[in-house]
Amino acid sequence: MSKTTVPEIRARKGGDKIRMITAYDTPTARIADRAGADMILVGDSVANVVLGHSDTLAVDVDVMVHHAAAVMRAEPDALVIGDMPWMSFHVSPEQTVINAARFVREAGVGAVKIEGGRKRLPVIGAVLDAEIPVMGHLGLTPQSVNVMGGYRVQGKEAEAAHELISDARALADAGVFSIVLEGVPDRVAQLVTEEIAVPTIGIGAGATCDGQVLVIHDVLGLGGGGYRPKFVRPYASLADEAVEAVGRFFSDVQSGNFPSGDETYHMSDEAFDALETLIRSDDLSDS
Ligand code: KIV
């Protein structure tokens, strides 16, 4: 297969549903790509999912580029999108372009994602002017957790939903190639999807979006328990399987069943006899 491009994603509006998932390192990127991802998001959710933080505010551009480069080393066919972390696009359009360019030059991603609506238009415009494709992200934007007062569904009331639709229109008009809609009522996501000419990618936004995204650790059941949002559907329980597998390794260690002869490096009888002779001659010369 050939590499998925931004124009190909844009052209999928209203067509085959777009498959997007997060990945944070080479193995998860390989899994996503082999499973047929159209897009891989190196999400700032790496902060929670991989690095154990309680929110996404903890990661900076260095961390994100480090993970994006690891994803790119899998050489995926999917379009890879680097998530611009908190404070990487809040200072100035110039600083935003410099940070976005690091994702492209140092990691090799094909696009970046920027959270927020109309107030982000100046920085989104600057990144687009630098020939870097931008994906928008509206609704429950986790970098705004402190302003939202927690991770709450957005756009539940008419006025807030109207604001969200206006944001989506403005972002699409500005030239983003796609918009993630996170944590919004399905009817609002449907209206946005009908209103704008670029694909919407839903997460907790109902079934009418042009595509869907989930965090790969949630899909694989690798989270190891804890709170699970209602929009997550685990397709495996790999954490449980992993605990069971490591436990079997430990029992084999304790019983002496690991390693077996096949799992061990061996020395030939001839070399071993020669070694014993050398040791004996050491003993003779010591006495
Ligand atoms: O960081 C992330 O994983 C995301 C997705 C949930 C859209 O932004």
Side-chain angles (χ1 to χ4, degrees), residues 22 24 41 43-45 83 113 115 137 180 182 203 213 215:
T22 66
Y24 311 103
L41 172 67
D44 62 356
S45 51
D83 208 0
K113 177 166 81 59
E115 289 188 9
H137 185 161
V180 168
E182 177 168 358
I203 173 162
V213 57
V215 165

Side-chain angles (χ1 to χ4, degrees), residues 54-57 115 139-154 182-183 227:
S54 58
D55 57 43
T56 59
L57 308 181
E115 289 188 9
L140 193 172
T141 46
Q143 291 170 17
S144 313
V145 59
N146 291 324
V147 175
M148 293 183 301
Y151 298 104
R152 300 181 200 293
V153 176
Q154 301 293 301
E182 177 168 358
Y227 171 71

Side-chain angles (χ1 to χ4, degrees), residues 41-216:
L41 172 67
V42 188
D44 62 356
S45 51
V46 68
N48 314 85
V49 178
V50 175
L51 303 175
H53 294 288
S54 58
D55 57 43
T56 59
L57 308 181
V59 287
D60 60 14
V61 178
D62 287 344
V63 172
M64 292 306 301
V65 169
H66 174 79
H67 285 276
V71 164
M72 291 308 295
R73 273 180 225 118
E75 300 183 10
D77 288 328
L79 174 66
V80 177
I81 296 134
D83 208 0
M84 301 273 295
W86 180 59
M87 288 312 291
S88 69
F89 55 92
H90 304 69
V91 177
S92 67
E94 291 75 16
Q95 195 58 51
T96 306
V97 173
I98 289 166
N99 288 330
R102 288 193 58 195
F103 279 91
V104 176
R105 186 166 279 160
E106 296 174 35
V109 305
V112 297
K113 177 166 81 59
I114 294 180
E115 289 188 9
R118 280 162 288 176
K119 71 177 171 189
R120 300 297 169 212
L121 285 177
V123 293
I124 290 173
V127 176
L128 290 170
D129 277 352
E131 315 301 342
I132 302 171
V134 177
M135 169 180 270
H137 185 161
L138 295 173
L140 193 172
T141 46
Q143 291 170 17
S144 313
V145 59
N146 291 324
V147 175
M148 293 183 301
Y151 298 104
R152 300 181 200 293
V153 176
Q154 301 293 301
K156 279 172 102 171
E157 305 304 329
E159 215 154 284
H162 187 238
E163 288 294 309
L164 200 147
I165 293 167
S166 303
D167 279 337
R169 282 194 190 122
L171 257 53
D173 289 348
V176 302
F177 73 94
S178 173
I179 299 179
V180 168
L181 294 176
E182 177 168 358
V184 300
D186 53 355
R187 290 172 126 177
V188 177
Q190 179 167 2
L191 281 174
V192 172
T193 303
E194 287 166 1
E195 278 285 320
I196 63 172
V198 296
T200 56
I201 310 293
I203 173 162
T208 57
C209 294
D210 297 300
Q212 296 288 329
V213 57
L214 282 177
V215 165
I216 194 162

